[in-house]
Amino acid sequence: MNSQSTATLYRAPRTDVSQNQGKFRTHFNFPGWNHPDHDDHGYGPLATVVESFMDPDTLIRMHQHRNEEIISWVPDGVMRHDDGEGNKLVTDAENMLVMNAGSGFWHEERTLADDPPLRMLQIFVRPPSLELPPKIQHEPIPDHVANEWRHLFGPEGSDAPLFVRNEVDFYDIRLSEGETVDLPSASGRDTYFYVFEGEVTAGDTSFSEAESGLLVDGEPAITAVADSILVAFVIDPDAPVTRQGTIGR
């Protein structure tokens, strides 16, 4: 476990857990590993955050997910989705995809030859119970406003445009060099954040691209050392979870 702590803010460097399938490459970030005394690779309902790369003209053939919520966040480029329900969907900077896999959902992913190289996050959330009804959501998301957090998914009934079936809220931000913002937070919850691009500081701790932080107590501000893109998850660490997902166990 490669992590260090400053008070109640725990930092992890870029993960060394990766898979290389040639034109499709993944790096698995386990938020529970940030905390030196945590005995679970996930952190409550948040199982893993996967940094995924797809070259142009790449096909990930039809496969099934079960008992996990899979969110595709694409800040640039396109990810093309086809599934067993007849949906042909494009996920990009303007549209977001959530597969509430439940009892089973089949899909494939691809990029076309004239698509740009793709770097995205695929987020795996643990549901509270097994064999839930499968659902798919593909929704437009609000335009980003510089230096402001966007709320993109949350539990059912939240004000976010998409939902997951557990107690996790997800935000992103494009933070300009020199700007400072507070991390999203909520009473009784902890915040996990990931630097997708750029470099930021929180207190006396620096976080570069593909590094992450787990805030267990307090509300530190984040300052951009360079223009940066971050995501943040506000998590109920005590929410009931299952651990039988296809990937996000």
Side-chain angles (χ1 to χ4, degrees), residues 221-235:
I222 293 283
T223 299
V225 177
D227 289 350
S228 300
I229 301 174
L230 293 87
V231 299
F233 303 83
V234 181
I235 306 162

PDB file of all heavy atoms in Angstrom, residues 221-235:
ATOM      1  N   ALA A 221      -9.180  23.102   1.413  1.00  0.00           N
ATOM      2  CA  ALA A 221      -9.323  23.694   0.091  1.00  0.00           C
ATOM      3  C   ALA A 221      -8.302  23.075  -0.859  1.00  0.00           C
ATOM      4  O   ALA A 221      -7.261  22.559  -0.451  1.00  0.00           O
ATOM      5  CB  ALA A 221      -9.130  25.203   0.175  1.00  0.00           C
ATOM      6  N   ILE A 222      -8.627  23.125  -2.130  1.00  0.00           N
ATOM      7  CA  ILE A 222      -7.758  22.643  -3.206  1.00  0.00           C
ATOM      8  C   ILE A 222      -7.321  23.855  -4.013  1.00  0.00           C
ATOM      9  O   ILE A 222      -8.153  24.680  -4.422  1.00  0.00           O
ATOM     10  CB  ILE A 222      -8.519  21.655  -4.113  1.00  0.00           C
ATOM     11  CG1 ILE A 222      -8.859  20.366  -3.358  1.00  0.00           C
ATOM     12  CG2 ILE A 222      -7.736  21.358  -5.378  1.00  0.00           C
ATOM     13  CD1 ILE A 222      -7.699  19.433  -3.186  1.00  0.00           C
ATOM     14  N   THR A 223      -6.016  23.969  -4.274  1.00  0.00           N
ATOM     15  CA  THR A 223      -5.487  25.052  -5.092  1.00  0.00           C
ATOM     16  C   THR A 223      -4.792  24.459  -6.307  1.00  0.00           C
ATOM     17  O   THR A 223      -3.997  23.511  -6.188  1.00  0.00           O
ATOM     18  CB  THR A 223      -4.491  25.912  -4.301  1.00  0.00           C
ATOM     19  OG1 THR A 223      -5.160  26.498  -3.177  1.00  0.00           O
ATOM     20  CG2 THR A 223      -3.914  27.019  -5.174  1.00  0.00           C
ATOM     21  N   ALA A 224      -5.083  24.994  -7.486  1.00  0.00           N
ATOM     22  CA  ALA A 224      -4.472  24.503  -8.715  1.00  0.00           C
ATOM     23  C   ALA A 224      -3.093  25.116  -8.906  1.00  0.00           C
ATOM     24  O   ALA A 224      -2.950  26.341  -8.973  1.00  0.00           O
ATOM     25  CB  ALA A 224      -5.364  24.829  -9.906  1.00  0.00           C
ATOM     26  N   VAL A 225      -2.081  24.273  -8.996  1.00  0.00           N
ATOM     27  CA  VAL A 225      -0.727  24.713  -9.325  1.00  0.00           C
ATOM     28  C   VAL A 225      -0.623  24.961 -10.829  1.00  0.00           C
ATOM     29  O   VAL A 225       0.149  25.804 -11.292  1.00  0.00           O
ATOM     30  CB  VAL A 225       0.292  23.656  -8.861  1.00  0.00           C
ATOM     31  CG1 VAL A 225       1.715  24.049  -9.259  1.00  0.00           C
ATOM     32  CG2 VAL A 225       0.194  23.456  -7.352  1.00  0.00           C
ATOM     33  N   ALA A 226      -1.401  24.195 -11.607  1.00  0.00           N
ATOM     34  CA  ALA A 226      -1.523  24.369 -13.055  1.00  0.00           C
ATOM     35  C   ALA A 226      -2.993  24.151 -13.405  1.00  0.00           C
ATOM     36  O   ALA A 226      -3.768  23.662 -12.577  1.00  0.00           O
ATOM     37  CB  ALA A 226      -0.634  23.359 -13.782  1.00  0.00           C
ATOM     38  N   ASP A 227      -3.400  24.526 -14.608  1.00  0.00           N
ATOM     39  CA  ASP A 227      -4.758  24.219 -15.030  1.00  0.00           C
ATOM     40  C   ASP A 227      -5.010  22.730 -14.819  1.00  0.00           C
ATOM     41  O   ASP A 227      -4.199  21.889 -15.255  1.00  0.00           O
ATOM     42  CB  ASP A 227      -4.960  24.569 -16.505  1.00  0.00           C
ATOM     43  CG  ASP A 227      -4.976  26.074 -16.756  1.00  0.00           C
ATOM     44  OD1 ASP A 227      -5.013  26.846 -15.778  1.00  0.00           O
ATOM     45  OD2 ASP A 227      -4.957  26.463 -17.938  1.00  0.00           O
ATOM     46  N   SER A 228      -6.124  22.392 -14.168  1.00  0.00           N
ATOM     47  CA  SER A 228      -6.337  21.012 -13.717  1.00  0.00           C
ATOM     48  C   SER A 228      -7.777  20.574 -13.939  1.00  0.00           C
ATOM     49  O   SER A 228      -8.701  21.391 -13.972  1.00  0.00           O
ATOM     50  CB  SER A 228      -5.995  20.879 -12.224  1.00  0.00           C
ATOM     51  OG  SER A 228      -4.640  21.217 -11.986  1.00  0.00           O
ATOM     52  N   ILE A 229      -7.950  19.266 -14.087  1.00  0.00           N
ATOM     53  CA  ILE A 229      -9.260  18.631 -14.106  1.00  0.00           C
ATOM     54  C   ILE A 229      -9.279  17.614 -12.973  1.00  0.00           C
ATOM     55  O   ILE A 229      -8.393  16.759 -12.875  1.00  0.00           O
ATOM     56  CB  ILE A 229      -9.546  17.931 -15.445  1.00  0.00           C
ATOM     57  CG1 ILE A 229      -9.483  18.928 -16.608  1.00  0.00           C
ATOM     58  CG2 ILE A 229     -10.912  17.244 -15.414  1.00  0.00           C
ATOM     59  CD1 ILE A 229      -9.620  18.285 -17.980  1.00  0.00           C
ATOM     60  N   LEU A 230     -10.269  17.725 -12.098  1.00  0.00           N
ATOM     61  CA  LEU A 230     -10.401  16.825 -10.951  1.00  0.00           C
ATOM     62  C   LEU A 230     -11.795  16.233 -10.925  1.00  0.00           C
ATOM     63  O   LEU A 230     -12.758  16.832 -11.413  1.00  0.00           O
ATOM     64  CB  LEU A 230     -10.182  17.566  -9.631  1.00  0.00           C
ATOM     65  CG  LEU A 230      -8.816  18.115  -9.288  1.00  0.00           C
ATOM     66  CD1 LEU A 230      -8.654  19.506  -9.877  1.00  0.00           C
ATOM     67  CD2 LEU A 230      -8.637  18.184  -7.775  1.00  0.00           C
ATOM     68  N   VAL A 231     -11.883  15.062 -10.285  1.00  0.00           N
ATOM     69  CA  VAL A 231     -13.183  14.497  -9.923  1.00  0.00           C
ATOM     70  C   VAL A 231     -13.169  14.237  -8.425  1.00  0.00           C
ATOM     71  O   VAL A 231     -12.103  14.044  -7.813  1.00  0.00           O
ATOM     72  CB  VAL A 231     -13.500  13.203 -10.690  1.00  0.00           C
ATOM     73  CG1 VAL A 231     -13.554  13.468 -12.193  1.00  0.00           C
ATOM     74  CG2 VAL A 231     -12.500  12.101 -10.377  1.00  0.00           C
ATOM     75  N   ALA A 232     -14.364  14.241  -7.818  1.00  0.00           N
ATOM     76  CA  ALA A 232     -14.481  14.013  -6.379  1.00  0.00           C
ATOM     77  C   ALA A 232     -15.732  13.196  -6.100  1.00  0.00           C
ATOM     78  O   ALA A 232     -16.761  13.345  -6.764  1.00  0.00           O
ATOM     79  CB  ALA A 232     -14.538  15.334  -5.620  1.00  0.00           C
ATOM     80  N   PHE A 233     -15.623  12.320  -5.107  1.00  0.00           N
ATOM     81  CA  PHE A 233     -16.712  11.446  -4.687  1.00  0.00           C
ATOM     82  C   PHE A 233     -16.987  11.714  -3.214  1.00  0.00           C
ATOM     83  O   PHE A 233     -16.068  11.645  -2.384  1.00  0.00           O
ATOM     84  CB  PHE A 233     -16.320   9.976  -4.848  1.00  0.00           C
ATOM     85  CG  PHE A 233     -15.903   9.594  -6.240  1.00  0.00           C
ATOM     86  CD1 PHE A 233     -14.604   9.829  -6.687  1.00  0.00           C
ATOM     87  CD2 PHE A 233     -16.810   9.004  -7.113  1.00  0.00           C
ATOM     88  CE1 PHE A 233     -14.218   9.469  -7.978  1.00  0.00           C
ATOM     89  CE2 PHE A 233     -16.429   8.655  -8.401  1.00  0.00           C
ATOM     90  CZ  PHE A 233     -15.131   8.881  -8.835  1.00  0.00           C
ATOM     91  N   VAL A 234     -18.228  12.007  -2.884  1.00  0.00           N
ATOM     92  CA  VAL A 234     -18.636  12.190  -1.496  1.00  0.00           C
ATOM     93  C   VAL A 234     -19.367  10.919  -1.086  1.00  0.00           C
ATOM     94  O   VAL A 234     -20.419  10.580  -1.641  1.00  0.00           O
ATOM     95  CB  VAL A 234     -19.516  13.441  -1.337  1.00  0.00           C
ATOM     96  CG1 VAL A 234     -19.913  13.629   0.121  1.00  0.00           C
ATOM     97  CG2 VAL A 234     -18.764  14.672  -1.842  1.00  0.00           C
ATOM     98  N   ILE A 235     -18.802  10.191  -0.119  1.00  0.00           N
ATOM     99  CA  ILE A 235     -19.145   8.795   0.136  1.00  0.00           C
ATOM    100  C   ILE A 235     -19.623   8.607   1.569  1.00  0.00           C
ATOM    101  O   ILE A 235     -18.996   9.121   2.512  1.00  0.00           O
ATOM    102  CB  ILE A 235     -17.894   7.896  -0.079  1.00  0.00           C
ATOM    103  CG1 ILE A 235     -17.284   8.120  -1.474  1.00  0.00           C
ATOM    104  CG2 ILE A 235     -18.223   6.434   0.141  1.00  0.00           C
ATOM    105  CD1 ILE A 235     -15.849   7.626  -1.575  1.00  0.00           C
TER     106      ILE A 235
END
